[in-house]
Amino acid sequence: MSKHSVLFFPDNVAVQVETGTSLLRAASLAGIELKSTCGGKGTCGRCVLKVKEGKVSVGGGNISAKLKTAGYVLACQTRVEGHAVVEVPRDSRLDEHQVLLDNKPVGLLAEKQVEELAGYEFQPLCRKIYLELDKPTLTENASDLSRLQAELRKYTDCRDLEISLDNLRKLPDILREGDWKVTVTLTSLNGCAEVLHLEPGRSTKKSYGLAVDIGTTTVVVNLVDLETGQIVDKRGTYNRQSRYGDDVISRIIYAGEENGLEELQQAVIGTINHLVDKLLAKNEIKAEDVHVAVTAGNTTMAHLFLGIPPKYIRLEPYIPVTSSFPPVKAKELGIAINPEAWILSFPAVASYVGGDIVSGVLVNGMAESDELTLFIDIGTNGEMVLGNRDWLISCACSAGPAFEGGGITYGMRAMTGAIERVEIDPRSYEVQVATIGNVKPMGICGSGLIDCLAKLLRVGIIDRTGQFQKDINTPRLRETEDGKEFVLVWGKDTECGKDIVLTEGDIKNLIRSKGAVFAGIQSLLKTVQMDVAQIDKIIIAGGFGNYLNIEDAIQIGLLPDVDRSKYEFMGNTSIKGAKLALISQPAYRQAEELGRKMTYLELSVGTMFMDEFVSACFLPHTDLSLFPSAT
Ligand code: FES
């Protein structure tokens, strides 16, 4: 088959591909990751490119006539037939913007700062130990390893003291090079200690660890100094698996295709390595000095990361291969740190309550508290845990990724350029928006969507079913061939030059998402025969943005209408728990215990969840007595 060159601008990168290759694939080969949340099915309309010249065959898909006329195509639906020159618009790129990492206290409910160790002892998973060994003689002729182990036993209670073959091969020269003085990097896991790294003499180099949050949409890495427990630097980006679909179900389906599992595993490992490379280069740290990593992710993400087939997670009775994941060496996975470093994964509770939730419970302290606490993580799914130090019950509802921007025409993650606050004038219907980073708007993130829905309802532009009202006199409300939409920001004021709108379809998606979360809360409460009034504290986690407007979240019926002082917002608890486990062995052991302790409520059994969901698909709810402050 003949090969053709595809040149991508403004990157100025060319690749050779065979006839029939999609531009989406060609871009990926060129190292350009495009937004492709439908997994290349042509439905999300995110992978827009402009073909400047050359021979391509253009298919259909979700692209407007206006964009088509301007020469734009969907990369996934366009096949290469000859040499081509292609321009990649900024807002089609996946990696262009960093995920928001630091939530600053500017909103109604600012992020609560977690105490660094959350009450656990500082005892990192790895530490460096300087040893001075007795030199061997003709009468003191113990082997090099026995000599090292004898000295190391003074520093660890672990009975087993292991060393890899690679390190064993290095041991004799390192001992002699340092004149029998040596610095050992030692890790202790589950009662077993292992020599991870050897340096001659007294080393002044530090030991580092990684806390990794493997989200369905984004991946965040914290680089941690294991001597001080402080975060050296952090970075986040889109999970490269996103090109295979938006949600865990599409990924599970893709994993079942030929080479699908390997591709998904390599995509997430590639994402982590990309972040680690940048972190290490910026902070002038060598990969060999990173000695351990703790990852937290939902159950599907954990399976895919380790290359374990996730197929049965989506088939009744929804069973994962395992809830407890074995430690793996970095070299086995291809993580670009010290090859001997251990990679640990937080345990899951069940197929749809994963290590990210266990991590959240670890760090939010609810399992050590007498207070009845409800913990809700609103991400690509809505997962929640109810309980206290005596009992914990969890469930997951398929809320869909709307609050992470998925399935919303101009939805996006909480990143620079995302609209996070919306005000609508009740008389003129003029709109004021605030974006993360105070730059021109590119889209709208979770907190902006909650704000927007509440404001549209409050000024009467939509009714309680989410439908646009007829007698609203503003050019912002308009009819298109796809239905009605409301213009939040006119194209002249946006980064992409297009009007940023919220469609009736977007509103329906948001109502379904918020309805699912509230139905999950109600189902948990009914299962334990309690009601919202008995809850002492509600902890919210999720990548909303700089703030979460609790008042608006209650007005739309996403969260229970209780005393606002009961609410706490903790941001990304998955990464915080992973970091805690990295610097505290007792915390890591507690995470394993929590995975076993939490009960799982399967919402697809019986009709309770469905009944609750149907009732919750109104603004705020069909039963207004549940929302006294919204009436
Ligand atoms: Fe191309 Fe979704 S439309 S990836």
Side-chain angles (χ1 to χ4, degrees):
M1 204 177 270
S2 49
K3 287 215 167 192
H4 312 288
S5 138
V6 183
L7 177 59
F8 289 94
F9 272 112
D11 314 67
N12 209 12
V13 181
V15 282
Q16 297 287 323
V17 295
E18 289 180 347
T19 306
T21 305
S22 75
L23 284 181
L24 183 65
R25 175 82 187 130
S28 172
L29 291 171
I32 300 166
E33 296 297 335
L34 299 176
K35 290 178 185 162
S36 51
T37 51
C38 68
K41 295 189 189 76
T43 54
C44 70
R46 299 279 169 115
C47 61
V48 174
L49 297 178
K50 189 169 196 173
V51 178
K52 308 269 287 183
E53 57 189 75
K55 213 169 158 205
V56 294
S57 76
V58 181
N62 176 19
I63 182 165
S64 69
K66 199 168 143 198
L67 281 175
K68 263 191 204 168
T69 316
Y72 288 95
V73 297
L74 290 179
C76 66
Q77 302 300 310
T78 306
R79 314 250 152 220
V80 177
E81 291 195 336
H83 297 313
V85 179
V86 176
E87 184 185 306
V88 186
R90 191 170 164 215
D91 59 335
S92 296
R93 291 170 188 265
L94 204 54
D95 271 333
E96 187 70 22
H97 305 279
Q98 269 207 28
V99 174
L100 187 75
L101 295 169
D102 288 306
N103 297 15
K104 295 175 192 73
V106 296
L108 286 180
L109 189 58
E111 181 186 345
K112 181 175 185 262
Q113 296 305 311
V114 192
E115 194 212 320
E116 207 58 37
L117 280 159
Y120 290 93
E121 189 188 341
F122 180 67
Q123 205 183 331
L125 290 170
C126 251
R127 63 188 164 133
K128 287 204 168 191
I129 302 168
Y130 170 68
L131 303 174
E132 292 187 2
L133 309 185
D134 292 333
K135 288 184 191 177
T137 63
L138 284 173
T139 48
E140 269 295 328
N141 57 3
S143 71
D144 290 351
L145 181 60
S146 303
R147 200 167 292 277
L148 181 80
Q149 285 173 325
E151 199 58 30
L152 267 178
R153 285 201 192 284
K154 296 176 188 166
Y155 297 87
T156 173
D157 298 334
C158 297
R159 230 167 13 101
D160 296 323
L161 250 174
E162 301 195 340
I163 185 166
S164 68
L165 183 58
D166 278 352
N167 275 328
L168 195 55
R169 285 172 176 152
K170 291 175 193 158
L171 179 65
D173 288 341
I174 286 177
L175 287 182
R176 286 157 184 85
E177 191 187 329
D179 193 26
W180 300 92
K181 297 175 185 67
V182 62
T183 304
V184 177
T185 306
L186 192 75
T187 185
S188 307
L189 275 182
N190 306 326
C192 179
E194 183 183 339
V195 174
L196 281 186
H197 193 55
L198 292 159
E199 294 159 88
R202 188 189 285 276
S203 169
T204 51
K205 284 160 75 182
K206 291 190 167 191
S207 176
Y208 297 92
L210 302 175
V212 186
D213 166 37
I214 307 178
T216 310
T217 314
T218 54
V219 175
V220 178
V221 177
N222 285 2
L223 175 66
V224 179
D225 178 336
L226 294 178
E227 236 171 69
T228 62
Q230 298 302 307
I231 295 172
V232 177
D233 204 351
K234 47 177 109 171
R235 232 181 152 92
T237 190
Y238 277 106
N239 185 340
R240 288 183 192 171
Q241 286 181 349
S242 299
R243 84 172 87 112
Y244 303 99
D246 237 358
D247 50 33
V248 292
I249 299 299
S250 359
R251 310 266 174 95
I252 294 172
I253 293 170
Y254 191 81
E257 293 182 12
E258 198 184 339
N259 300 324
L261 181 56
E262 290 77 10
E263 283 181 44
L264 286 165
Q265 187 186 22
Q266 286 317 309
V268 69
I269 287 172
T271 311
I272 295 169
N273 281 343
H274 168 78
L275 294 172
V276 172
D277 281 353
K278 298 236 169 193
L279 283 169
L280 296 184
K282 186 176 157 219
N283 295 284
E284 298 180 354
I285 292 169
K286 285 193 178 148
E288 66 171 23
D289 294 324
V290 183
H291 297 122
V292 64
V294 177
T295 71
N298 65 49
T299 313
T300 302
M301 287 303 112
H303 277 59
L304 294 176
F305 174 59
L306 296 175
I308 301 170
K311 183 175 169 185
Y312 297 100
I313 288 177
R314 69 178 274 265
L315 301 176
E316 209 177 317
Y318 317 113
I319 302 296
V321 174
T322 178
S323 304
S324 169
F325 303 95
V328 187
K329 289 275 178 165
K331 62 186 175 190
E332 288 178 67
L333 291 178
I335 300 289
I337 54 177
N338 189 308
E340 298 297 333
W342 282 110
I343 312 290
L344 312 175
S345 303
F346 262 74
V349 176
S351 280
Y352 293 103
V353 174
D356 49 348
I357 302 304
V358 173
S359 188
V361 172
L362 175 73
V363 84
N364 73 28
M366 64 187 288
E368 281 77 46
S369 171
D370 291 325
E371 290 183 314
L372 181 65
T373 305
L374 175 64
F375 168 54
I376 312 171
D377 190 345
I378 304 173
T380 311
N381 245 334
E383 293 113 339
M384 54 200 76
V385 185
L386 179 70
N388 54 27
R389 68 164 74 241
D390 298 321
W391 56 274
L392 294 164
I393 182 168
S394 62
C395 74
C397 49
S398 46
F403 292 117
E404 293 207 316
I408 304 294
T409 312
Y410 281 91
M412 65 184 284
R413 290 279 299 178
M415 301 185 299
T416 303
I419 296 170
E420 61 169 356
R421 299 198 75 166
V422 177
E423 292 296 338
I424 303 175
D425 187 290
R427 278 187 292 276
S428 66
Y429 304 118
E430 276 312 292
V431 182
Q432 283 195 327
V433 300
T435 61
I436 296 174
N438 286 324
V439 296
K440 278 187 169 186
M442 296 177 61
I444 182 161
C445 69
S447 48
L449 288 163
I450 291 170
D451 239 27
C452 188
L453 199 58
K455 290 345 185 308
L456 286 172
L457 180 68
R458 198 167 298 150
V459 302
I461 295 175
I462 57 172
D463 64 13
R464 287 184 54 216
T465 67
Q467 284 198 321
F468 285 116
Q469 296 303 280
K470 287 200 181 71
D471 49 357
I472 302 295
N473 187 17
T474 167
R476 287 181 181 269
L477 186 59
R478 65 192 183 192
E479 185 91 42
T480 70
E481 54 192 32
D482 298 322
K484 284 184 178 168
E485 61 186 28
F486 184 78
V487 181
L488 289 170
V489 190
W490 297 107
K492 65 180 175 50
D493 299 319
T494 66
E495 172 67 35
C496 54
K498 293 181 258 176
D499 296 344
I500 293 181
V501 301
L502 198 72
T503 68
E504 219 153 51
D506 295 337
I507 293 172
K508 287 208 161 46
N509 273 345
L510 283 167
I511 291 179
R512 274 196 292 270
S513 290
K514 77 94 193 166
V517 171
F518 193 76
I521 297 170
Q522 288 290 91
S523 303
L524 268 189
L525 285 167
K526 285 196 170 163
T527 302
V528 293
Q529 297 176 334
M530 288 182 151
D531 64 52
V532 284
Q534 290 168 276
I535 300 175
D536 299 306
K537 195 195 278 186
I538 301 180
I539 300 173
I540 310 290
F544 286 100
N546 279 322
Y547 80 112
L548 172 65
N549 190 330
I550 287 291
E551 199 55 54
D552 282 350
I554 292 171
Q555 294 302 311
I556 64 167
L558 168 67
L559 297 174
D561 193 352
V562 295
D563 186 346
R564 296 356 177 208
S565 67
K566 289 187 177 183
Y567 279 99
E568 282 179 6
F569 176 42
M570 287 183 77
N572 181 346
T573 52
S574 176
I575 190 81
K576 288 174 182 162
K579 190 241 163 180
L580 174 59
L582 199 58
I583 59 170
S584 172
Q585 289 180 40
Y588 179 68
R589 286 195 289 274
Q590 172 68 352
E592 293 191 317
E593 181 57 31
L594 284 174
R596 285 188 286 270
K597 186 178 168 188
M598 280 156 66
T599 312
Y600 177 62
L601 174 68
E602 177 55 63
L603 292 178
S604 65
V605 176
T607 60
M608 179 169 63
F609 175 76
M610 233 7 192
D611 294 344
E612 291 292 341
F613 175 65
V614 171
S615 305
C617 282
F618 281 83
L619 297 168
H621 199 273
T622 48
D623 180 0
L624 289 177
S625 70
L626 290 170
F627 291 88
S629 69
T631 52

